[in-house]
Amino acid sequence: MVRHSKLQKQVLSLYRQFLRAGQDKPGFLPRIRDEFRVNARIPKTDVMHIEYLYRRGQRQLDQLKDVNTKQLGAFLKPKEKS
């Protein structure tokens, strides 16, 4: 059985909270899963970046839990033209 660090447990808990909060809102679950999959590629040794994303995720979760929230915004880098 794999033992997780405290930070890993916090991130997994945040993920579960996101999934629960997103169940009632259409279109949120795929976006939540995609975001966590993309960030799962971050090396475990990059603790500062992981903690930053964790805090950002907590703020986003608070917004998601708000009754008035109907969609999540995203900031994407524009693709460079070739």
Side-chain angles (χ1 to χ4, degrees), residues 2-19:
V2 177
R3 294 184 60 118
H4 296 291
S5 70
K6 181 180 177 184
L7 184 58
Q8 286 173 319
K9 289 178 183 178
Q10 290 173 327
V11 170
L12 290 171
S13 173
L14 182 67
Y15 180 64
R16 285 191 296 273
Q17 290 175 40
F18 261 104
L19 291 178

Side-chain angles (χ1 to χ4, degrees), residues 32-55:
I32 291 167
R33 287 187 185 112
D34 288 345
E35 189 73 25
F36 273 86
R37 278 192 193 112
V38 166
N39 290 325
R41 296 185 190 122
I42 297 171
K44 293 178 184 177
T45 55
D46 195 357
V47 177
M48 294 297 285
H49 190 205
I50 295 169
E51 287 178 346
Y52 162 75
L53 290 172
Y54 175 74
R55 288 190 304 274

